[in-house]
Amino acid sequence: MPKMVILGTASFIPDETHENAHMLLQGEQGSVLIDSGSNPLVSLKKARLPADQLRTVIVTHFHPDHMSGMPNLLMGLWLMGRTQPLNILGLNVTLDKIHALMNLFEWRDWPGFYPVTFEPVQSFGGSTILEMPDLRIQMSPAHHLVPSIALKVTAQPSGKTLVYSSDTSPSDAVEQLARGADILVHEVAGAASGHSSPSMAGSIARQAGVGQLALIHYHTFLNPEDLIVEARSTYYGPITVLRDLDVIEL
Ligand SMILES: [Zn+2]
Ligand SMILES: [Zn+2]
């Protein structure tokens, strides 16, 4: 059965018990990392997940809390002896910047480096960006300070659906992507431009008619109960505040 392992839940500033928001989707034929803000190799170790099953990395957008661990991830996998290819998915603008960042490290000169491919995703809503035997991933543009994508995961054989908002202010496209989903994982970094408060996330969850709302990308100094109380003012279904290393069975 596929599952999503939450590797980090913090917004911009991580702490001892909360890494920056990122997660791993584990399917029967390999795993997919979504974002890489902290050092994902440390997160995988904490979650007791093997790094060699990693097939694809999806980068939602080019902000440090979502992708600054990428150089360490790529280098670490190489030094661990990886030979199999790794595919990196994201918007063109995101991939171009990651490529430029890696070029600063002169990574093409690293001897025996495994093949890394960059695969730009379409930027229109609902397009499928990855198909695996038991996992399908679709995307829609989110509404953020830089181009960002929300993701929808459909798992087989359960047919269960999970939508991850990534960083976004309340967005019609994200709401459409989440319509009827079993779980909406929504950011709650606050009502500042490009982000959402818990009550805004609750409104999206209610409008989309999702089965449950899980809050992520929150300020770690806030009381989780307060986040739930605020989200409950606009959404009446089950609400949880995700913790690092939580597992969502799909
Ligand atoms: Zn961001
Ligand atoms: Zn962020």
Side-chain angles (χ1 to χ4, degrees):
M1 289 275 275
K3 61 184 179 182
M4 175 177 272
V5 182
I6 305 298
L7 298 174
T9 52
S11 57
F12 328 107
I13 304 170
D15 69 10
E16 316 87 287
T17 52
H18 303 79
E19 298 284 0
N20 288 132
H22 66 305
M23 59 268 303
L24 189 93
L25 267 174
Q26 210 173 20
E28 65 182 22
Q29 288 190 10
S31 57
V32 179
L33 180 68
I34 300 172
D35 283 340
S36 53
S38 311
N39 187 332
L41 291 174
V42 176
S43 312
L44 291 174
K45 199 137 217 174
K46 280 191 206 163
R48 299 173 193 274
L49 293 166
D52 60 0
Q53 287 182 7
L54 199 55
R55 299 283 176 275
T56 303
V57 183
I58 299 175
V59 185
T60 61
H61 64 292
F62 194 81
H63 269 164
D65 56 321
H66 294 263
M67 50 57 60
S68 63
M70 185 65 86
N72 272 331
L73 172 68
L74 295 177
M75 183 183 72
L77 290 173
W78 170 56
L79 295 172
M80 288 159 71
R82 186 182 181 100
T83 54
Q84 58 181 318
L86 184 72
N87 199 17
I88 303 176
L89 299 182
L91 293 169
N92 238 326
V93 60
T94 308
L95 298 185
D96 282 352
K97 287 180 174 171
I98 292 172
H99 206 177
L101 177 66
M102 292 308 297
N103 285 343
L104 289 176
F105 292 111
E106 300 178 345
W107 67 322
R108 293 302 182 194
D109 296 335
W110 297 352
F113 195 71
Y114 54 94
V116 172
T117 51
F118 290 89
E119 200 178 312
V121 302
Q122 305 292 332
S123 59
F124 58 86
S127 56
T128 297
I129 61 171
L130 186 65
E131 269 310 344
M132 292 166 73
D134 53 351
L135 289 169
R136 178 158 74 120
I137 304 182
Q138 295 162 273
M139 60 75 70
S140 267
H143 194 255
H144 193 41
L145 305 166
V146 298
S148 180
I149 54 174
L151 302 171
K152 176 179 184 176
V153 179
T154 305
Q156 295 302 343
S158 67
K160 218 166 164 183
T161 50
L162 177 152
V163 169
Y164 170 47
S165 67
S166 78
D167 284 10
T168 188
S169 53
S171 152
D172 290 344
V174 174
E175 187 235 298
Q176 266 177 32
L177 191 70
R179 200 151 288 173
D182 292 295
I183 305 169
L184 173 61
V185 176
H186 204 288
E187 75 116 298
V188 287
S193 171
H195 292 283
S196 302
S197 66
S199 64
M200 290 167 167
S203 293
I204 296 292
R206 190 186 70 240
Q207 287 159 29
V210 302
Q212 61 172 289
L213 173 62
L215 308 180
I216 197 168
H217 197 278
Y218 50 83
H219 299 306
T220 58
F221 54 82
L222 295 176
N223 180 347
E225 274 309 310
D226 293 343
L227 297 172
I228 290 179
V229 167
E230 192 189 325
R232 193 162 281 144
S233 66
T234 49
Y235 175 68
Y236 316 117
I239 305 171
T240 52
V241 175
L242 289 170
R243 304 274 186 167
D244 287 29
L245 306 184
D246 276 354
V247 176
I248 302 174
E249 305 283 350
L250 293 172

